[in-house]
């Protein structure tokens, strides 16, 4: 019996050792699996972190202005501040709309409308200065902005502004899956805008050519918007038409109507409140 005991102990040791080995193997396998998952999760998170919506880059306007008359300073300062606000709003919108629309969503719905807003604001600055001094010209060239896409895979360097959104690695790369315009699936619709000509005062002969040219431009803008509604049916989300077509059309009309009022105001009383005629609606 005393000789059988060691054999029993050996068997018990062998069994316990086998169980321990199995448990240890399981722990190693589980640890490896968890490490793999953690690695995948970390890599995925890193990829998401690298991606960024980018920022808009716009030329500074203040350095290109002439001496500002004291009577115009408050209005000029207010509009210069508005230019900064417009850039901040565009940058916020880039963040809020990552993954929306098609490849050109950022350009069509954010960068393009920002240019139109800047044209109108810069025009007001020039008009304010021009009331008591020589009106600065050529400032409209400062209106266009570019999209600087960040988070490129090569270490976060910004992509070239001339690159398309699909080339801007880490930029608005989510804007490639167009889910369809659920708000505009049946018909393109048309835009309806208030007529401007009936609200104008008597037009001085010296301003007639410029006024007529801008009234014709208003019609062209409406025609272009209607064409764009047709061309983009099925694009973007339910607010695509409002954000990418109707909103930008309003900004264009503000700038054009402002030019009409300015032309009349050079030799007669400048008409006011014409900006109320700028907004348009979408007729389904």
């Amino acid at each position: 019996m005393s000789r059988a005991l060691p054999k029993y102990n050996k068997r018990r040791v062998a069994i316990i050792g086998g169980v321990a080995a199995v448990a240890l193997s399981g722990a190693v396998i589980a640890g490896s699996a968890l490490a793999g998952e953690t690695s995948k999760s970390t890599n995925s998170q890193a990829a998401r972190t690298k991606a960024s919506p980018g920022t808009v880059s716009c030329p500074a306007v203040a350095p290109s202005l002439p001496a500002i008359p004291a009577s115009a300073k408050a209005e000029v300062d207010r509009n210069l501040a508005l230019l900064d606000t417009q850039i901040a709003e565009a940058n916020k919108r880039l963040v809020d709309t990552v993954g929306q629309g098609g490849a050109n969503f950022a350009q069509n719905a954010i960068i393009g409308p920002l240019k139109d807003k800047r044209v109108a604001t810069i025009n007001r600055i020039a008009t304010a200065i021009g009331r008591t001094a020589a009106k600065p010209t050529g400032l409209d060239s400062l209106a266009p902005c570019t999209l600087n896409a960040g988070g490129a895979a090569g270490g976060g360097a910004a992509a070239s502004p001339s690159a398309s959104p699909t080339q801007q690695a880490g930029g608005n790369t989510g804007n490639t899956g167009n889910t369809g315009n659920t708000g505009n699936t049946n018909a393109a619709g048309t835009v309806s805008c208030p007529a401007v000509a009936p609200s104008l005062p008597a037009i001085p002969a010296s301003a007639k050519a410029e006024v007529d040219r801008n009234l014709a431009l208003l019609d062209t803008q409406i025609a272009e918007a209607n064409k764009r509604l047709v061309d983009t049916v099925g694009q973007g989300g339910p607010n695509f038409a409002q954000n990418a077509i109707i909103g930008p059309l309003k900004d264009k009309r503000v700038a054009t109507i402002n030019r009409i009022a300015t032309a009349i105001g050079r030799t007669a009383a400048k008409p006011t409140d014409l900006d109320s005629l700028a907004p348009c609606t979408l007729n389904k």
Side-chain angles (χ1 to χ4, degrees):
M1 184 174 179
S2 60
R3 285 194 299 271
L5 184 58
K7 292 181 181 179
Y8 171 77
N9 289 337
K10 287 179 183 178
R11 284 198 302 272
R12 186 171 63 175
V13 168
I15 292 170
I16 293 173
V19 172
V22 171
L24 181 59
S25 299
V28 170
I29 293 170
S32 299
L34 287 174
E37 286 299 319
T38 302
S39 177
K40 289 178 182 178
S41 176
T42 301
N43 290 340
S44 177
Q45 182 64 36
R48 286 195 297 271
T49 301
K50 286 180 181 177
S52 72
T55 57
V56 294
S57 177
C58 307
V61 173
S64 298
L65 298 180
I68 301 170
S71 60
K73 190 172 187 309
E75 186 173 355
V76 170
D77 287 347
R78 183 167 62 250
N79 282 287
L80 287 174
L82 179 57
L83 290 172
D84 291 336
T85 300
Q86 291 165 350
I87 293 173
E89 290 174 344
N91 282 327
K92 182 178 184 299
R93 189 134 190 270
L94 283 171
V95 173
D96 293 344
T97 59
V98 168
Q100 293 185 20
N104 296 318
F105 177 84
Q107 184 62 44
N108 294 336
I110 300 176
I111 305 300
L114 175 60
K115 174 188 173 183
D116 297 327
K117 291 177 182 178
R118 284 173 59 84
V119 166
T121 305
I122 291 171
N123 194 288
R124 287 195 293 271
I125 290 173
T127 299
I129 295 173
R131 290 193 187 102
T132 52
K135 182 178 180 180
T137 58
L139 294 180
D140 280 0
S141 64
L142 303 174
C145 302
T146 55
L147 174 62
N148 297 325
S160 167
S162 61
S164 70
T166 54
Q167 294 169 328
Q168 293 168 345
N172 256 348
T173 53
N175 290 344
T176 56
N178 192 343
T179 56
N181 186 354
T182 56
N184 190 18
T185 54
N186 295 326
T190 57
V191 295
S192 177
C193 307
V196 174
S199 297
L200 298 180
I203 302 171
S206 60
K208 190 172 188 309
E210 185 172 356
V211 170
D212 287 346
R213 183 168 60 251
N214 281 288
L215 286 173
L217 179 58
L218 290 172
D219 292 336
T220 300
Q221 291 165 350
I222 293 173
E224 289 173 345
N226 282 329
K227 181 178 184 300
R228 188 135 189 271
L229 283 170
V230 173
D231 294 343
T232 59
V233 168
Q235 292 186 20
N239 297 320
F240 178 84
Q242 184 63 43
N243 294 336
I245 300 176
I246 305 301
L249 175 60
K250 175 188 173 183
D251 296 327
K252 291 178 183 178
R253 283 173 60 84
V254 166
T256 305
I257 290 170
N258 194 289
R259 287 194 293 270
I260 291 173
T262 299
I264 295 172
R266 290 193 186 102
T267 53
K270 182 178 178 179
T272 58
D273 298 327
L274 292 180
D275 281 359
S276 63
L277 302 174
C280 302
T281 56
L282 175 62
N283 297 325
K284 283 293 194 176

